[in-house]
Amino acid sequence: GDVHLALDMVACAKEAGADAIKVQVFDPGEFCTDRASWCGEPQSEMFARYQLDAEAIKRIHQECVTRGLLMWGTPTDRAAVAQLWTLGVPWIKVGSDDIVHDQLLKYIAATGIRPILSTGMANAYEISHAASLFRTPGVLMHCVSLYPCPFAEANLDRIRSLQRMFPEWATGYSDHTDSTLTGALAV
């Protein structure tokens, strides 16, 4: 939720050799209920601490442009998609929890922005259905939706399965393990 920290992170990412930055664009009021809690705290209050407003997202985008980095984002609702589309991002990442959110996927597809779909909470039918909503193939990201994911549960063979099932889509890996080895093995 701190735009200054985010801008510092952009600078550090560039210095470290990154090519791109991904931001989370969300409104806790759109995806948190009053009944949901995390460690005894209402989720809406917890997420509100991390929320970046539209002006902060614009500043981060401008900093990326200035430093020669691409920026894309993970939106959780239509307003966030529109915000990213207005900035001209090259990709929109759909979190595993939204791969079955047809209305959101169709809205993203209508923008023409290439999708990156995380598949950690989806079965083959759900992935196939989500992919069918897009005219232009994007990227399917294998991940395991455990935070952190134990190394033994990373299931990297699923990357090959995605490649066989969806040859027109690029594949990737979204790592939630504590190990730097997992990403290297995924490559």
Side-chain angles (χ1 to χ4, degrees):
D2 180 346
V3 69
H4 301 292
L5 178 59
L7 295 171
D8 287 346
M9 291 172 75
V10 170
C12 289
K14 178 63 178 181
E15 186 177 315
D19 297 313
I21 301 292
K22 182 183 73 74
V23 295
Q24 303 285 119
V25 185
F26 60 87
D27 175 356
E30 290 294 320
F31 73 95
C32 293
T33 71
D34 294 336
R35 297 182 311 271
S37 64
W38 178 258
C39 297
E41 175 184 22
Q43 271 189 355
S44 58
E45 291 177 20
M46 186 265 299
F47 278 107
R49 287 197 309 275
Y50 302 109
Q51 182 181 12
L52 294 164
D53 64 23
E55 191 56 40
I57 298 295
K58 279 186 201 175
R59 287 182 64 190
I60 295 165
H61 181 259
Q62 185 54 54
E63 186 69 16
C64 287
V65 169
T66 299
R67 294 182 180 274
L69 296 169
L70 294 173
M71 187 191 94
W72 79 89
T74 302
T76 59
D77 57 61
R78 291 168 66 127
V81 171
Q83 183 180 354
L84 290 166
W85 180 78
T86 300
L87 294 172
V89 300
W91 306 289
I92 287 185
K93 181 179 178 283
V94 176
S96 294
D97 54 332
D98 282 328
I99 197 167
V100 295
H101 190 331
D102 276 15
Q103 289 177 332
L104 182 64
L105 296 179
K106 289 175 183 176
Y107 191 75
I108 293 167
T111 69
I113 300 171
R114 291 192 64 194
I116 300 173
L117 305 178
S118 281
T119 63
M121 293 183 170
N123 61 35
Y125 170 79
E126 292 164 334
I127 297 167
S128 182
H129 175 72
S132 76
L133 299 175
F134 293 90
R135 293 182 304 271
T136 305
V139 181
L140 295 173
M141 300 293 286
H142 165 58
C143 68
V144 177
S145 296
L146 296 172
Y147 305 90
C149 174
F151 182 79
E153 300 293 323
N155 192 18
L156 297 179
D157 282 339
R158 189 161 188 238
I159 298 168
R160 285 195 190 108
S161 297
L162 289 171
Q163 290 169 334
R164 282 192 301 274
M165 291 174 13
F166 306 96
E168 66 281 6
W169 284 68
T171 53
Y173 178 57
S174 181
D175 191 7
H176 300 154
T177 68
D178 288 337
S179 171
T180 57
L181 178 61
T182 319
L185 290 172
V187 172

